[in-house]
Amino acid sequence: MSRPGLFDYLLALGDDALVTAQRLGEWYASSPAMEEDIALANIALDQLGAARLLLSYAAEVPDTALPARTGGPLPVAARPLDEDALAYRRDDRQFRNALLTELPHGDFAHVVTRLLLLAAYQVPLYDRLAAADDPRLAAIAAKTRKEVAYHLDHAATWVRRLGDGTAESHGRAQAAVDALWPYTHELFAPLAGGPIDPATLRADWERTVTAVLAEATLARPADGWAPGGGRDGLHTEHLSYLLAEMQSLHRAHPGARW
Amino acid sequence: MSRPGLFDYLLALGDDALVTAQRLGEWYASSPAMEEDIALANIALDQLGAARLLLSYAAEVPDTALPARTGGPLPVAARPLDEDALAYRRDDRQFRNALLTELPHGDFAHVVTRLLLLAAYQVPLYDRLAAADDPRLAAIAAKTRKEVAYHLDHAATWVRRLGDGTAESHGRAQAAVDALWPYTHELFAPLAGGPIDPATLRADWERTVTAVLAEATLARPADGWAPGGGRDGLHTEHLSYLLAEMQSLHRAHPGARW
Amino acid sequence: AALQAYFDAVIAADQKIEPRDWMPEKYRRTLIRQIAQHAHSEIIGMQPEGNWISRAPSLQRKAILLAKVQDEAGHGLYLYAAAETLGITREELVEMLVSGRQKYSSIFNYPTLTWADVGAVGWLVDGAAIVNQVPLCRCSYGPYARAMIRVCKEESFHQRQGYEVLHVLGHGTPGQRAMAQDAVDRWWYPSLAMFGPPDADSTHSAQSMAWKIKRFSNDELRQRFVDMCVDQARSLNLTLPDPDLRWNAQRRAYDYTQPDYDELMRVISGDGPCNRQRMAFRRQAHADGAWVREAAAAYAAKRASDREAVPA
Amino acid sequence: AALQAYFDAVIAADQKIEPRDWMPEKYRRTLIRQIAQHAHSEIIGMQPEGNWISRAPSLQRKAILLAKVQDEAGHGLYLYAAAETLGITREELVEMLVSGRQKYSSIFNYPTLTWADVGAVGWLVDGAAIVNQVPLCRCSYGPYARAMIRVCKEESFHQRQGYEVLHVLGHGTPGQRAMAQDAVDRWWYPSLAMFGPPDADSTHSAQSMAWKIKRFSNDELRQRFVDMCVDQARSLNLTLPDPDLRWNAQRRAYDYTQPDYDELMRVISGDGPCNRQRMAFRRQAHADGAWVREAAAAYAAKRASDREAVPA
């Protein structure tokens, strides 16, 4: 399998998962209860696992299938590629994740709301990809779909609790929904190189999210702002800080094995 | 001039100034008033200027005067040395700054209290060094003493205002004093390679700080804890994050000029 | 009427209106709006550049960048002071900014994604600002004209520094050159848009020209900027991202592609990449500083009453 | 008295005491203290290792480290559950930790300064913990013994992973090897101190041995640990920082330098490098979670009353 654009497509999905895992990893030992520390670590591990499979696949895509601008305006520095070269040696302009995944964490409401909005997209995405023509991608998706179904369930449970909990938790949950909502549009923007038009996932996403928000007594924002650019490597100012930290040790020891 | 230990001594002073500048630089555009943004940037610039002079001098110390373990257990990676090699290519185990300078900022009370505690030490230090036998060090100190006198004055003014302002500001200022106090002991610990025993600066420091705290109606903490290790490269867990960010761009482009 | 006649005569003679002079209310309000917007731009403009202070790739560049961001705070201060001579307080001006009732330059709603953006902002954004502002040094309102003289002097220093950053990158490693080209590609059209809508669509211009608050049209200034950049880009070893850019011997100026004015309008109306982030940062800093400002006021009040308590 | 006799007989027969069994109040209190301290150690122990999750140098190492920190939360949970069988609630236990009334293992008051510390913590700290804990799998209190079986199984997995991290570094670049040696130099003596004061100074030991809560003396376990580490250090291509470490053919064990027990006492009493940081982190997380726990309780209460409101 080496469709043109496949490399960028795998990066987009893999970077969503990697950056999500990285942000969740920042929450170690910080959640409201030990059970939740375990659950968030679990979810981080699942996303990291998906990222590794997707980036490893991307690393093996033959050069001929790479786009002219390999993952951005700057060349990937390390050859041969592998998952670590892609994770640790690209700059933010070469990352393809949606902006939603890179925003810094606010409070716990922000953590679970973002997870809801992302997982509600990843569930139909990986469901559909599990039936893709590309057998390797289909196998990755078949594994990942079960995991993201749990993520969705977990996040939805929390959003319901917070939205329909106390006045404070309702306010925080609504603030999180309002802040994150504009960033969801990008998830459904066209994405070349994959077997699916993301726009076709929107109906499923809408159904899931609308239902959870209603149960959570949260209002669906009416915000027309639709920031984007992540799929083209145009990120927020936050991503380069995340990468500076994530890559610091790896880059400080060029050529080392770990 | 190439006394044994001179290299480490210059690193200690230079790293205090560099890390202080880096922490103050994080506050750009975040202070309570524009005038204060300007003042903090000014102080950051002064400290950065002193750091550059000291690290440049350190970089020129002949190899024969270097201690066996050049600045820590890991070798400095870049030769020939210059101020940027020392700032950007050492790991935290090779930094020699006092822990006081690397602690993450809390609120504005924390910013000005730390500056008070540090400047009250830097003023007698550079006063004394301005008369040192080493002409290059003396020249650096003669320039820097005027600057740190302003830093002390500025910080003391704010600590008085906050301590003797409102109940809230008093509480915040006292919390900052209490949190930072234990880290001041390290400033007076023995430091080889320099012309001055830091312990001899303590009386001056005590006089200055005690007077300001009294005017600010703040209590002098009675805390016996005296963390240290910075002069030997044993830092808090915070420093490596500061350096990861500071060095990220420089390290991502090995060999580049800027 | 005599006042109006005197005012008109001063303007006509290219003399300065000073704070104590009578002036039409609309002149006053137009100036307040323009000076305030300019001051707010300096304050918000600290963010995109400040974003790279902690990561500047050499100590020298770090010092230059810190000093530049500091200068921007200084410009904000002079300009607020100039606005205050028109009968508005600093508190009111700050409030107008954090409440969103007054605007700042839309250019600062774009992110600085790489170090090269620091160079591109200096070269292009400060360059465009200078082209806009140099004529204001001859503006009819004295305090504003004098503030602009100082601002422009420092801005041209900043522009030079931005140019130098790009020059090093443009002649550096392949990675550095790519970074520089990428930054210029992203900042070129937003910089062109800094001159405002085309003259045909510009609303306030005619009155401002008559009052000598404005001295050249948007399109005249934009052309001047384009012409200035073309040669400099060549020296930088970088290209401007406009395939239709070419010398027009008849006009004795470069033909160029207009920026996307619809995008400009979207960004002005709040939907740029960073509008919310910039405002949230400013509001947070303002809110976080409230207890400090209160403490300073309480302290000053205590000192004042101490002085009063001294027996005469 | 019959109860005491039955209890004594169970202990003597190496059988398990179960929650429903009578037990001496002091046995109960000693166990609560010991299990709670162990649980708190797992919870606080997440911090020094969690410190490197965001910076782990490969994705595989990141996954392994995340899983390990997750396991520590899991151990904390089983151990709190074991303590709860002795008649104390989780809330009380958590309160004892955040108020500082109960301790956690002092080893976690040292900082993890480099990536190699993750390896050294796994190899030495988890290694020492296992030596301490394996005998507890035969502890007289059933729920604790069963929890320890599970904990020890996972801990030996973690110890293996730490060993592997150091093995790669010890056989890696000069910079990596130096980093590994530096970490072992810093963690060696604090790990030896994990076995507690020398037997001569150990207070609670005699009674705990009699109750079969403790099965070997501090010094016996420390010796076992030293003997285990010497060979492993050789395979790691690293040295232990003790010039007096040598085989004693007569004792059939290694002679070694004792750790600095004064330092141990200082760290236990609160003056280690990270005591305040660890406690501040834990308290902050606990305080930040209060509104979430309240929301979850309020939500559960609403659901419960919804169910009651359903007509029968």
Side-chain angles (χ1 to χ4, degrees), chain B:
Chain B
M1 285 289 147
S2 62
R3 293 180 300 287
L6 176 62
F7 180 73
D8 275 351
Y9 187 77
L10 295 170
L11 286 190
L13 270 50
D15 289 346
D16 279 353
L18 176 58
V19 173
T20 297
Q22 182 72 7
R23 284 287 183 218
L24 287 172
E26 294 169 4
W27 262 71
Y28 72 88
S30 292
S31 68
M34 270 176 285
E35 288 81 354
E36 193 55 25
D37 280 334
I38 294 173
L40 290 182
N42 226 350
I43 295 169
L45 276 166
D46 288 343
Q47 295 277 348
L48 181 57
R52 294 181 63 194
L53 294 170
L54 291 160
L55 295 182
S56 293
Y57 184 11
E60 292 170 34
V61 170
D63 271 9
T64 49
L66 299 189
R69 303 192 312 163
T70 304
L74 308 178
V76 170
R79 291 269 162 192
L81 288 183
D82 61 18
E83 60 176 27
D84 287 333
L86 288 173
Y88 290 98
R89 303 194 63 82
R90 280 183 298 153
D91 297 317
D92 67 304
R93 295 282 287 111
Q94 301 172 299
F95 269 71
R96 291 286 173 268
N97 58 289
L99 305 185
L100 177 67
T101 62
E102 75 199 37
L103 301 174
H105 277 302
D107 59 12
F108 184 72
H110 196 274
V111 174
V112 294
T113 302
R114 164 157 51 191
L115 190 60
L116 169 72
L117 298 174
L118 181 72
Y121 149 83
Q122 288 181 323
V123 164
L125 169 68
Y126 287 111
D127 267 351
R128 295 269 302 280
L129 288 178
D133 277 346
D134 177 335
R136 181 155 174 188
L137 185 54
I140 295 170
K143 175 177 186 300
T144 306
R145 65 196 282 193
K146 292 174 222 150
E147 296 166 350
V148 293
Y150 159 69
H151 305 175
L152 175 58
D153 191 55
H154 186 78
T157 300
W158 269 114
V159 170
R160 283 188 210 102
R161 279 183 192 142
L162 298 183
D164 193 18
T166 64
E168 178 176 6
S169 71
H170 180 85
R172 286 175 179 261
Q174 187 67 57
V177 172
D178 292 348
L180 294 166
W181 191 263
Y183 293 93
T184 58
H185 302 295
E186 186 185 13
L187 299 173
F188 308 104
L191 194 51
I196 291 173
D197 175 2
T200 61
L201 305 170
R202 182 149 208 155
D204 258 333
W205 182 88
E206 289 274 354
R207 201 159 36 241
T208 308
V209 169
T210 304
V212 174
L213 291 185
E215 288 165 16
T217 72
L218 293 168
R220 184 194 155 109
D223 190 328
W225 185 44
R231 304 305 191 193
D232 299 315
L234 287 162
H235 293 275
T236 67
E237 290 173 356
H238 308 296
L239 183 63
S240 56
Y241 289 94
L242 177 147
L243 296 179
E245 182 175 320
M246 182 175 101
Q247 300 175 338
S248 57
L249 174 62
H250 185 98
R251 287 199 192 246
H253 294 263
R257 281 194 331 106
W258 300 98

Side-chain angles (χ1 to χ4, degrees), chain D residues 69-91:
Chain D
V69 173
Q70 184 189 33
D71 283 347
E72 287 166 357
H75 296 175
L77 269 185
Y78 324 147
L79 288 162
Y80 281 136
E84 286 183 281
T85 65
L86 291 159
I88 187 165
T89 65
R90 166 108 78 97
E91 288 66 34

Side-chain angles (χ1 to χ4, degrees), chain C residues 148-226:
Chain C
M148 289 317 299
I149 289 170
R150 190 161 164 194
V151 168
C152 280
K153 205 170 126 192
E154 294 182 2
E155 291 281 13
S156 59
F157 201 59
H158 298 163
Q159 199 242 355
R160 177 92 216 154
Q161 291 165 342
Y163 178 87
E164 281 170 11
V165 164
L166 287 182
H167 195 272
V168 170
L169 300 178
H171 296 81
T173 67
Q176 287 178 306
R177 200 189 158 280
M179 186 194 279
Q181 184 63 56
D182 173 53
V184 169
D185 290 350
R186 285 183 285 108
W187 288 93
W188 173 249
Y189 286 108
S191 299
L192 290 188
M194 285 176 70
F195 297 91
D199 293 349
D201 306 335
S202 187
T203 43
H204 306 293
S205 291
Q207 179 63 78
S208 289
M209 298 276 257
W211 277 333
K212 297 184 180 169
I213 294 176
K214 188 167 176 149
R215 296 218 162 229
F216 298 95
S217 80
N218 294 352
D219 287 336
E220 282 168 334
L221 293 170
R222 189 164 12 240
Q223 181 71 56
R224 190 177 294 183
F225 175 69
V226 170

Side-chain angles (χ1 to χ4, degrees), chain D residues 1-8 22:
Chain D
L3 292 167
Q4 177 77 50
Y6 178 74
F7 174 84
D8 291 343
W22 180 89

Side-chain angles (χ1 to χ4, degrees), chain A residues 22 35 88 245 250 257-258, chain D residues 54 56 61-62 90 176:
Chain A
Q22 182 72 7
E35 289 82 352
Y88 291 97
E245 182 174 319
H250 185 99
R257 281 195 330 108
W258 299 97
Chain D
S54 70
R61 293 287 171 207
K62 189 189 289 283
R90 166 108 78 97
Q176 287 178 306

